[in-house]
């Protein structure tokens, strides 16, 4: 019972941080939100590890090391992005985005109630967070924000895949999580390359992206 | 996974690592060794010494190996000239060579691996390596295209991962069975709702990788900015690879979910792709962008054929080959145009190609006739099978008629546009002939022969495989 409750709390932390990443105005705030989201993911993995999947402890350690230390550092190593970017440029207002986040969360919770999932509420919250990360990818204009959206989607997808495929065995979970982590590092590195090559941080200034 | 399935991929990746570690002058030789590896495995396959999981894997490997050989052959003279133009240093050349081999290795993996999680990893490796390749020219357009490609297809990739995990978990089978080669059809009693939800999530995810509409937005930019051999591999192989994974996934899920529910999704995506291609193809002024929109059309046709099933499925699988060979010819010639004219835009001087560069112009004319589906070229036969197959089932006739209508619009669009490059004269000071290097011409001439005769020739050439493949596809639950 306590484990189930903890699972829901950590899933909710992932969800709240997905919303936070959607709304924050500064690269540094996004960095903090991403770190907290990683804590949520590590917590969720720890709950699953306690629940009869001890190999997932390996993932807990790797997630904390990579997502707390390595990825934020890679993304912040470019001076311009790390210090100068500030703003929340979006096609619509932030309040509207928050309302959309609420609606898709409700959709996620409803989907979680479809019979067949081992943890309906936890999975529903994670599906809601997943939808929010997708919205983030099309709602914000800053390239740094889009990079965090992709990384948030990677975190939520990893957590969701591990939690739904849990009953199939821990090695699947370990494999999926490690693959998602490797991808997160690559995405961070690619994003940094983009930051160093592109003069603009607003995708509206980029002809190819709007054309 | 058996060692024999991992071996070609591992060898190609090792060669890619060697390229990075060795002096720049070795790059060409290591790329030639990679060509040798592809040929050796083709020979082993022909001799029955190397067995692949099923006829579709064998067929797809054949296509991947042959098209990759042409891309590597063309890449050598092409990149030499392009690197001179962009003033690359030795490291950039090595990075390009290494990434190209990783890209080809991941395409080989997509063709021959059978576990769905490994297949996901393979298509991800193909995506990430090609993101770097698209950005290779390092100018503004290429970097932007690479960024857009990364954003859209990685969102799709993560949807594919979650969808695959959800759908296969819902079948209730152990993970050792997440493998289409060892799947026992009709043995599964899973949760049909979640299988369907997962299957659709995976389909949407892989559809972004395949560039199927409405998830195609990255494709025109990425294809037009990438170096020509990379555009050819992306269009001919990577797009089709993503659709083949969806076909395998749907194949293992059909016992618990009605096949029609899954196939409808493929038909809808196929029709939307034809619609997008029909709407945009007539307005393109960049040759590579024109072929990019044509790629959306053809991946839509493959999706449509897989959705129709039966003879149309045979046509779709055949179309993977006919489209890949024709599109490689077109993209590589478009690359030659870009090198010789310093642009591939008809509005900026790439005009009167037949008069100024007759070989390149001639091959573009041949490729254009092929890609719009004119007989006797290779794509005609596969498109014919897809469309005739669509008419066989009453439920497919309306989408099939819509597809025929859209194909006529696309045909007209390309027929209207292509003269702007081929024979409409340029300004008076741009009438002189341009010398065409034979290094660039030779691989394309051989490809042109394949496009001319490959429609009937290839099934005859590999008759036992084709016979086996057709029988397997006609028995397929999809």
């Amino acid at each position: 019972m306590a484990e189930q409750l903890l699972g829901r709390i950590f899933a909710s932390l992932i969800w709240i941080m997905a919303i936070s990443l959607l709304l924050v105005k500064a690269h540094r705030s996004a960095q903090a939100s991403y770190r907290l989201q990683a804590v949520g993911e590590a917590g969720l993995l720890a709950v699953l590890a306690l629940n009869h999947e001890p190999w997932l402890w390996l993932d807990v350690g790797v997630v904390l090391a990579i997502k707390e230390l390595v990825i934020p550092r890679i993304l912040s190593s470019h001076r311009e992005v790390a210090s100068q970017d500030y703003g929340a440029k979006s096609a619509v207002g932030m309040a509207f985005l928050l309302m959309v986040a609420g609606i898709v969360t409700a959709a996620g919770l409803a989907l979680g109630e479809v019979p067949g999932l081992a943890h309906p509420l936890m999975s529903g919250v994670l599906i809601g967070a997943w939808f929010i990360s997708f919205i983030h990818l099309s709602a914000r204009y800053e390239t740094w924000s889009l990079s965090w959206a992709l990384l948030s989607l990677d975190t939520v997808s990893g957590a969701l895949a591990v939690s739904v495929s849990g009953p199939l065995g821990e090695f699947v979970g370990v494999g999926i999580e490690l693959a998602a982590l490797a991808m997160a590092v690559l995405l961070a590195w690619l994003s940094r390359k983009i930051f160093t090559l592109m003069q603009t941080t607003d995708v509206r200034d980029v002809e190819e992206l709007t054309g | 996974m058996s060692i024999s399935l991992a071996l070609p991929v591992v060898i190609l990746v090792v060669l890619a690592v060697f390229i990075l570690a060795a002096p720049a002058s070795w790059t060409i030789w290591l790329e030639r060794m990679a060509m040798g590896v592809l040929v050796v495995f083709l020979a082993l396959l022909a001799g029955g010494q190397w067995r692949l999981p099923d006829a579709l894997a064998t067929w797809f490997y054949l296509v991947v190996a042959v098209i990759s050989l042409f891309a590597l052959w063309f890449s050598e003279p092409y990149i030499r000239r392009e690197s001179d133009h962009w003033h690359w240093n030795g490291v950039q050349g090595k990075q390009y060579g290494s990434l190209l081999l990783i890209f080809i290795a991941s395409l080989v993996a997509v063709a021959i691996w059978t576990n769905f999680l490994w297949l996901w990893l393979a298509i991800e490796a193909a995506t990430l390596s090609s993101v770097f390749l698209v950005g290779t020219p390092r100018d503004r357009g290429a970097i932007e295209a690479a960024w857009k490609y990364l954003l859209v297809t990685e969102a799709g990739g993560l949807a594919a991962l979650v969808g695959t995990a959800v759908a296969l978990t819902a079948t209730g089978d152990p993970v050792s069975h997440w493998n289409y080669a060892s799947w026992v059809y009709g043995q599964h009693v899973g949760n049909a709702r979640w299988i369907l939800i997962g299957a659709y999530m995976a389909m949407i995810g892989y559809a972004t990788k395949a560039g199927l509409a409405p998830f195609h937005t990255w494709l025109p930019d990425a294809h037009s900015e990438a170096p020509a051999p990379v555009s050819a591999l992306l269009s001919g192989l990577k797009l089709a690879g993503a659709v083949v994974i969806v076909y395998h996934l749907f194949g293992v899920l059909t016992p618990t979910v009605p096949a029609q529910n899954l196939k409808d999704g493929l038909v809808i995506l196929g029709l939307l792709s034809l619609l997008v291609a029909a709407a945009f193809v007539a307005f393109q002024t960049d040759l590579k962008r024109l072929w990019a929109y044509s790629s959306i059309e053809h991946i839509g046709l493959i999706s449509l054929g897989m959705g129709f099933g039966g003879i149309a499925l045979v046509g779709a699988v055949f179309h993977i080959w006919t489209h890949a060979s024709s599109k490689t010819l077109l993209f590589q010639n478009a690359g030659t145009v870009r090198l010789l004219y310093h642009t591939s835009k008809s509005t900026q001087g790439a005009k009167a190609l037949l008069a100024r560069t007759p070989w390149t112009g001639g091959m573009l004319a041949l490729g254009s006739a092929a890609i719009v589906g004119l007989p006797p070229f290779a794509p005609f036969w596969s498109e014919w099978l897809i469309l005739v197959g669509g008419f066989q089932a009453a439920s497919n006739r309306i989408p099939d008629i819509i597809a025929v209508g859209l194909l006529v619009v696309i045909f007209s669009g390309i027929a209207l546009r292509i003269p702007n490059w081929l024979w409409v004269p340029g300004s008076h000071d741009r009438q002189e002939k341009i010398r065409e290097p034979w290094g660039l011409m030779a691989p394309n001439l051989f490809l042109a022969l394949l496009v001319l005769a490959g429609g009937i020739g290839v099934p005859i050439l590999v008759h036992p495989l084709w016979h086996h493949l057709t029988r397997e596809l006609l028995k397929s639950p999809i």
Side-chain angles (χ1 to χ4, degrees):
Chain A
M1 219 31 207
E3 283 164 5
Q4 214 171 28
L5 185 67
L6 274 174
R8 288 172 188 173
I9 290 170
F10 285 123
S12 302
L13 183 59
I14 293 174
W15 169 75
I16 290 169
M17 290 308 136
I19 295 178
S20 167
L21 283 162
L22 168 68
L23 300 176
V24 292
K25 290 182 177 179
H27 177 70
R28 282 185 185 175
S29 316
Q31 200 173 316
S33 301
Y34 180 74
R35 284 190 164 124
L36 281 169
Q37 196 180 44
V39 169
E41 187 188 11
L44 193 70
L45 291 171
V47 170
L48 292 171
L50 283 172
N51 237 349
H52 56 66
E53 295 174 53
W55 274 95
L56 283 176
W57 283 114
L58 180 77
D59 278 346
V60 175
V62 182
V63 163
L64 286 174
I66 302 279
K67 293 194 174 173
E68 297 297 326
L69 302 173
V70 180
I71 290 173
R73 204 158 284 180
I74 294 174
L75 273 177
S76 304
S77 54
H78 190 237
R79 183 186 51 79
E80 192 182 341
V81 169
S83 59
Q84 293 177 5
D85 273 346
Y86 188 79
K89 296 167 191 165
S90 158
V92 288
M94 291 295 121
F96 182 77
L97 281 183
L98 203 54
M99 281 190 273
V100 173
I103 292 165
V104 297
T105 303
L109 289 172
L111 210 52
E113 287 304 314
V114 175
L117 285 183
H119 315 285
L121 184 58
M122 190 178 89
S123 304
V125 172
L126 286 176
I127 294 170
W130 202 58
F131 289 154
I132 289 166
S133 299
F134 272 112
I135 287 169
H136 187 171
L137 276 170
S138 52
R140 290 292 293 268
Y141 288 138
E142 306 90 333
T143 48
W144 61 265
S145 182
L146 292 175
S147 291
W148 288 114
L150 213 46
L151 287 164
S152 168
L153 186 66
D154 177 85
T155 299
V156 181
S157 299
L160 192 57
V162 170
S163 62
V164 294
S165 63
L168 286 175
E170 54 202 312
F171 290 109
V172 185
V174 173
I176 288 176
E177 195 53 48
L178 289 179
L181 265 174
M183 218 167 96
V185 175
L186 261 172
L187 289 175
W189 188 62
L190 273 168
S191 298
R192 189 191 165 278
K193 295 281 271 186
I194 298 288
F195 295 160
T196 54
L197 289 163
M198 275 171 63
Q199 294 305 306
T200 176
T201 55
D202 187 334
V203 290
R204 286 172 302 177
D205 299 339
V206 178
E207 286 163 24
E208 291 287 343
L209 294 174
T210 50
Chain B
M1 191 198 323
S2 71
I3 293 172
S4 71
L5 293 186
L7 201 59
V9 180
V10 171
I11 295 174
L12 289 171
V13 171
V14 168
L15 287 173
V17 174
F18 271 138
I19 287 181
L20 284 180
S25 57
W26 289 26
T27 304
I28 287 171
W29 292 104
L30 288 164
E31 283 179 358
R32 286 178 186 168
M33 278 176 75
M35 291 169 78
V37 170
L38 292 169
V39 172
V40 165
F41 277 94
L42 272 177
L44 289 173
L45 201 59
Q49 303 299 308
W50 186 49
R51 290 188 189 285
L52 292 176
D54 63 3
L56 179 54
T58 310
W59 173 257
F60 197 26
Y61 175 75
L62 188 77
V63 179
V64 169
V66 171
I67 297 299
S68 300
L69 282 171
F70 277 107
L72 282 166
W73 184 7
F74 181 78
S75 174
E76 194 182 312
Y78 177 84
I79 284 298
R80 199 169 50 238
R81 285 170 174 80
E82 181 128 327
S83 60
D84 287 345
H85 176 73
W86 291 102
H87 308 295
W88 285 6
N89 56 34
V91 176
Q92 279 171 283
K94 282 173 22 168
Q95 281 174 349
Y96 169 83
S98 178
L99 283 165
L100 188 63
L101 289 199
I102 289 174
F103 186 33
I104 290 172
S106 53
L107 292 171
V108 169
V110 168
I112 64 176
W113 287 359
T114 57
N115 181 290
F116 287 106
L117 291 180
W118 285 108
L119 281 171
W120 177 80
L121 276 179
I123 201 86
E124 278 306 318
T127 305
L128 292 172
S129 53
S130 53
V131 163
F132 281 103
L133 286 167
V134 168
T136 299
R138 298 200 180 183
D139 61 342
R140 187 184 166 91
I143 297 297
E144 288 167 8
W147 175 238
K148 187 174 180 180
Y149 176 28
L150 175 77
L151 273 183
V152 178
T153 58
E154 280 319 306
L158 292 164
L161 172 69
V162 174
T164 305
V166 167
L168 292 174
T169 305
T171 62
D173 270 22
V175 72
S176 55
H177 285 193
W178 285 18
N179 186 318
Y180 70 80
S182 63
W183 198 267
V184 186
Y185 290 98
Q187 298 289 305
H188 308 272
V189 193
N191 184 319
R193 265 195 212 113
W194 277 105
I195 292 178
L196 197 60
I197 291 169
Y200 270 97
M201 275 158 76
M203 182 182 72
I204 288 170
Y206 283 119
T208 62
K209 301 273 184 201
L212 281 163
F215 314 105
H216 66 284
T217 49
W218 61 272
L219 194 148
D221 298 334
H223 280 52
S224 56
E225 293 297 337
V230 177
S231 305
L233 292 172
L234 269 174
S235 172
L237 303 178
K238 196 220 153 197
L239 306 187
V243 181
V244 167
I245 296 175
V246 173
Y247 166 76
H248 283 311
L249 185 66
F250 282 8
V252 303
L253 299 177
T254 40
T256 30
V257 177
Q260 199 56 46
N261 287 359
L262 299 171
K263 287 158 73 171
D264 285 348
L266 289 171
V267 171
I268 291 167
L269 291 179
L271 284 179
L272 279 174
S273 303
L274 291 181
L275 184 67
V276 165
F280 288 96
V281 83
F283 304 103
Q284 301 310 313
T285 54
D286 184 322
L287 195 52
K288 288 187 82 185
R289 222 173 158 83
L290 178 79
W291 302 137
Y293 276 101
S294 162
S295 298
I296 296 173
E297 170 211 349
H298 286 275
I299 200 65
L301 269 174
I302 291 170
S303 175
L304 207 60
M306 287 186 173
F308 287 160
I311 292 290
L313 174 61
V314 176
V317 169
F318 189 33
H319 200 66
I320 292 174
W321 156 251
T322 59
H323 170 243
S325 53
S326 312
K327 203 46 76 59
T328 303
L329 175 69
L330 288 167
F331 269 120
Q332 292 190 165
N333 272 295
T336 307
V337 169
R338 194 173 273 193
L339 279 180
L340 300 181
Y341 292 80
H342 307 295
T343 179
S344 50
K345 289 187 177 174
S346 57
T347 49
Q348 290 176 7
K351 283 175 139 348
L353 301 184
L354 278 170
R356 298 181 70 194
T357 46
W359 285 101
T360 307
M363 282 187 283
L364 273 171
L366 185 143
S368 308
I371 210 71
V372 294
L374 286 179
F377 303 106
F380 165 75
W381 304 100
S382 48
E383 284 188 29
W384 178 254
L385 283 175
I386 292 169
L387 296 174
V388 166
F391 273 102
Q392 283 192 328
S395 59
N396 290 333
R397 281 183 196 145
I398 291 176
D400 206 29
I401 290 167
I402 296 171
V404 171
L406 291 170
L407 283 174
V408 171
V409 176
I410 294 167
F411 175 94
S412 313
I414 294 179
L416 273 173
R417 269 286 147 201
I418 208 73
N420 287 342
W421 285 279
L422 291 183
W423 55 78
V424 171
S427 55
H428 291 296
D429 57 332
R430 288 181 181 165
Q431 294 298 330
E432 77 288 359
K433 277 201 170 188
I434 299 173
R435 197 183 71 80
E436 298 167 272
W438 278 104
L440 291 170
M441 293 299 106
N444 291 338
L445 282 170
F446 278 94
L447 255 176
L449 278 178
L450 277 178
V451 172
L452 193 64
I456 296 175
V458 168
I460 293 173
L461 199 67
V462 294
H463 175 67
L465 168 65
W466 179 250
H467 183 68
H468 184 40
L469 175 69
T470 313
R471 234 179 19 196
E472 257 187 27
L473 292 173
L474 290 174
K475 278 193 302 184
S476 163
I478 285 286

